[in-house]
């Protein structure tokens, strides 16, 4: 599975550069890889993308448990059947996973979102199916916050009242003043 994970990460990086040439470089992160592997193992155990088992294995929940993580998370999952007891063609399987994500608008958006800068890929097999999870994250320059540090929150009447005039990057799906409504 590590060879498949590595090849998927490489192919996604190539496609990401093709789709969004100015995208930040994705760094494979050991912690994200561990979370992606746990997510894939849970899917393989249940034979499903849904979290029928331990609800704490959902990738976003695992990320939120890390008090230092303060960014965005994207997740792509997929499954492919294979013939047990036959060698898996890593290149062919990796290409099919990535091609499937490219063909799906939400998955393509995750892998091509220019601000993501860290990734982790995990794969697990059960029976005749391989499950893969790829996570994408960024802290958008927010930096790390120590777990024991008090967090200051600013209350605002509406999201628009909390806007400022800084050069912050608008988040995906955010309504930017002056832009057409989505």
């Amino acid at each position: 599975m590590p060879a498949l994970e590595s090849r998927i990460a490489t192919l996604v990086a190539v496609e990401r550069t093709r789709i969004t040439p100015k995208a930040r470089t994705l760094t494979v992160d050991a912690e994200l890889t561990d979370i992606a592997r746990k997510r894939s193992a849970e899917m393989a155990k249940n034979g499903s993308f849904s979290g029928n088992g331990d609800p704490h294995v959902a990738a976003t929940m695992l990320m939120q448990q890390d008090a230092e993580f303060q960014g965005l998370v994207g997740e792509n999952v997929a499954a492919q059947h294979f013939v047990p007891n036959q060698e898996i063609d890593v290149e062919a399987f990796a290409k099919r996973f990535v091609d499937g994500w490219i063909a799906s608008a939400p998955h393509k958006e995750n892998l091509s979102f220019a601000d993501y800068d860290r990734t982790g890929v995990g794969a697990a097999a059960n029976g005749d199916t391989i499950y893969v999870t790829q996570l994408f994250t960024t802290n958008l320059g927010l930096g790390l916050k120590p777990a024991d540090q008090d967090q200051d929150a600013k209350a605002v009447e509406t999201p628009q009242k909390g806007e400022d005039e800084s050069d912050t990057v608008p988040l995906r799906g955010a309504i930017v003043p002056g832009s057409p409504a989505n």
Side-chain angles (χ1 to χ4, degrees):
M1 292 296 135
L4 179 61
E5 294 167 352
S6 177
R7 189 62 187 144
I8 289 170
T10 299
L11 290 175
V12 164
V14 169
E15 287 299 316
R16 175 181 168 83
T17 301
R18 183 184 63 77
I19 296 165
T20 312
K22 293 185 179 186
R24 296 170 75 184
T25 301
L26 287 175
T27 300
V28 176
D29 181 283
E31 186 176 8
L32 291 177
T33 298
D34 183 52
I35 292 169
R37 286 176 175 160
K38 287 177 184 176
R39 173 76 164 109
S40 292
E42 183 71 10
M43 291 186 300
K45 180 177 119 185
N46 294 316
S48 171
F49 294 128
S50 66
N52 294 335
D54 182 357
H56 298 97
V57 177
T60 54
M61 291 183 77
L62 289 168
M63 297 295 297
Q64 290 171 350
Q65 290 173 5
D66 181 353
E68 293 183 351
F69 179 74
Q70 294 299 301
L72 299 176
V73 178
E75 177 185 62
N76 285 351
V77 295
Q80 282 186 53
H81 292 287
F82 69 98
V83 178
N85 300 323
Q86 284 191 355
E87 188 173 328
I88 294 172
D89 181 344
V90 170
E91 183 65 28
F93 269 76
K95 185 163 175 28
R96 282 197 302 265
F97 277 114
V98 175
D99 287 349
W101 289 334
I102 296 294
S104 162
H107 293 94
K108 183 178 179 180
E109 182 179 327
N110 274 342
L111 70 86
S112 64
F113 182 58
D115 287 322
Y116 286 142
D117 59 359
R118 293 186 296 149
T119 190
V121 180
N126 186 7
D128 66 348
T129 307
I130 297 174
Y131 294 86
V132 171
T133 302
Q134 183 164 18
L135 300 175
F136 305 91
T137 66
T138 182
N139 65 13
L140 285 176
L142 297 174
L144 301 177
K145 73 167 188 191
D148 58 352
Q149 180 182 357
D150 288 336
Q151 300 303 308
D152 294 329
K154 178 182 172 184
V156 294
E157 294 173 36
T158 67
Q160 291 75 24
K161 298 269 187 198
E163 292 177 351
D164 63 21
E165 300 300 318
S166 68
D167 292 331
T168 58
V169 177
L171 302 179
R172 272 189 310 173
I175 297 175
V176 178
S179 68
N182 293 342

